[in-house]
Amino acid sequence: MPVPRVPGRSGRLQDIPVPGQKRVLLAAPRGYCAGVDRAVVAVEKALERYGAPVYVRKQIVHNIHVVTELESKGAVFVEEVDEVPEGAHVVFSAHGVSPAVVSAASDRGLQAIDATCPLVTKVHREAVRFARDDFEILLIGHDGHEEVEGTAGEAPDHVTVVNSPEDADAVEVRDPSKVVWLSQTTLSVDETMETVRRLRERFPQLSDPPSDDICYATQNRQVAIKKVARDADLVIVVGSANSSNSVRLVEVALEHGAKAAYRVDYADEVKQEWLEGVETVGVTSGASVPEVLVKEVLADLAGAGYRDVEEVRTAEEDLMFSLPKELRQSPSGQRDSRGLGGRGRA
């Protein structure tokens, strides 16, 4: 699908000739997903409703630009709820929190707004249910990631974190007949399935979650970049270093044919040497990245001669999530009318 030529930002990157025609393959879907949109709007609405400061435990989403923008509006990001003044408003991030964090916030009299992505909440509920049935839960994910900490905190005595396919070869369980796997929502689909395959070789009675835990947006962005990567000399992924799904996009691009792939937070991180001899540049962004950052990358690339942009679309997204219950109505009782979660998104 062709898109209009993008005007370049002159001066930073040079337009150096290459053997063939310069072009950009722009992956779609890319950028904001429904859960991220909901979480960011929740902080904005809380600031409108209650005034600054509104405290947020951890980064609301893993993107430095989004966090900086919200800080400029009065959001204060903290590591733990004990840093929040008693009685203040605190927003829980899209990655979710454990029951222990909810309890700690309540003990301090904090007015909590839960912006956990509903797809993460689904995994939490699965963990609770399987623990109640005395299953051992093998949670595929990255130890120390906020989402994994939150999910594991729902059933700490029943959860073992499996970080990689290699970890699957060493994990031990109490009862191989009562074991189930769950996963972090932002993983590489291919690597997760390899981990499950290895686990099932060792534990043939391994149970599956009732539905796929890796979120639709993570999967869609990986499918799109796979299609782009096979024709790309270079792939640029816009996203922050602590964004698991953004980091995975770089890995997926390299695994599926891209000659080189890099992650950047901002356009000015794109290096001239990356473009040497490059005819086709693939561009995408992680699920917590606003589209303005992608447009800036496209503008810089246009300044370097990459003005022809073709969108490579592999799926449509129109999922929407309602705001946290505390923010669904205005102070006058009117239902909030702001659309959330994917409409008009790439």
Side-chain angles (χ1 to χ4, degrees):
M1 173 182 174
V3 298
R5 286 172 173 259
V6 178
R9 300 195 301 180
S10 62
R12 207 185 69 77
L13 297 174
Q14 300 176 46
D15 187 352
I16 298 174
V18 298
Q21 181 180 354
K22 291 183 174 182
R23 63 173 180 159
V24 173
L25 298 179
L26 181 60
R30 64 185 176 275
Y32 266 16
C33 64
V36 164
D37 199 16
R38 174 182 186 266
V40 173
V41 174
V43 178
E44 293 172 343
K45 285 291 181 184
L47 286 164
E48 292 172 11
R49 176 78 58 85
Y50 308 116
V54 166
Y55 294 85
V56 185
R57 182 186 179 273
K58 307 288 189 182
Q59 292 188 358
I60 186 67
V61 296
H62 285 161
N63 184 265
I64 189 172
H65 178 81
V66 172
V67 169
T68 301
E69 287 285 296
L70 291 174
E71 283 178 331
S72 72
K73 297 176 181 179
V76 177
F77 293 88
V78 299
E79 285 299 303
E80 296 298 343
V81 294
D82 61 9
E83 300 172 50
V84 181
E86 291 188 6
H89 289 90
V90 63
V91 181
F92 297 145
S93 82
H95 307 104
V97 298
S98 69
V101 172
V102 176
S103 178
S106 177
D107 290 345
R108 290 185 61 77
L110 303 182
Q111 301 182 64
I113 299 167
D114 188 359
T116 302
C117 173
L119 300 180
V120 174
T121 299
K122 175 185 81 73
V123 182
H124 282 219
R125 290 172 178 163
E126 290 169 354
V128 170
R129 178 165 70 84
F130 282 113
R132 185 173 59 239
D133 294 337
D134 202 30
F135 273 77
E136 187 160 356
I137 300 164
L138 301 180
L139 177 58
I140 302 171
H142 300 129
D143 214 358
H145 190 282
E146 291 150 44
E147 183 185 327
V148 170
E149 290 178 348
T151 301
E154 295 284 0
D157 296 334
H158 289 78
V159 171
T160 299
V161 177
V162 181
N163 281 279
S164 66
E166 291 70 31
D167 276 7
D169 297 336
V171 69
E172 299 293 338
V173 301
R174 296 185 304 272
D175 182 355
S177 70
K178 294 203 72 174
V179 60
V180 63
W181 71 271
L182 302 178
S183 81
Q184 183 180 330
T185 63
T186 54
L187 299 180
S188 160
V189 177
D190 295 337
E191 183 174 312
T192 300
M193 290 303 100
E194 173 61 14
T195 303
V196 172
R197 185 189 69 79
R198 293 197 192 187
L199 287 171
R200 185 158 278 120
E201 283 184 350
R202 298 189 60 219
F203 313 116
Q205 297 183 64
L206 178 71
S207 296
D208 297 321
S211 60
D212 199 343
D213 284 346
I214 298 179
C215 89
Y216 77 96
T218 296
Q219 295 188 52
N220 286 348
R221 281 147 191 74
Q222 289 178 20
V223 169
I225 202 57
K226 286 178 184 180
K227 188 170 182 179
V228 165
R230 65 192 186 199
D231 296 319
D233 302 307
L234 166 69
V235 165
I236 296 171
V237 176
V238 186
S240 290
N242 62 340
S243 167
S244 178
N245 75 89
S246 297
V247 173
R248 298 289 83 71
L249 287 171
V250 175
E251 296 172 353
V252 170
L254 291 170
E255 290 166 0
H256 287 82
K259 296 180 179 65
Y262 301 96
R263 180 202 56 78
V264 299
D265 272 298
Y266 294 104
D268 62 10
E269 297 171 22
V270 176
K271 297 180 179 179
Q272 182 71 49
E273 55 262 36
W274 296 353
L275 303 175
E276 291 181 7
V278 167
E279 297 175 10
T280 300
V281 182
V283 176
T284 189
S285 58
S288 53
V289 178
E291 184 68 4
V292 63
L293 301 184
V294 175
K295 290 180 178 178
E296 290 177 356
V297 169
L298 294 177
D300 272 13
L301 288 173
Y306 298 90
R307 298 181 184 88
D308 289 331
V309 181
E310 178 184 349
E311 187 175 73
V312 179
R313 179 170 292 278
T314 56
E316 299 289 341
E317 294 180 355
D318 58 5
L319 181 65
M320 299 179 69
F321 294 134
S322 60
L323 285 167
K325 62 182 184 298
E326 298 85 357
L327 303 172
R328 289 176 195 165
Q329 293 184 335
S330 68
S332 63
Q334 295 294 313
R335 185 170 181 81
D336 184 89
S337 60
R338 182 165 178 178
L340 300 178
R343 291 194 300 189
R345 301 293 178 187

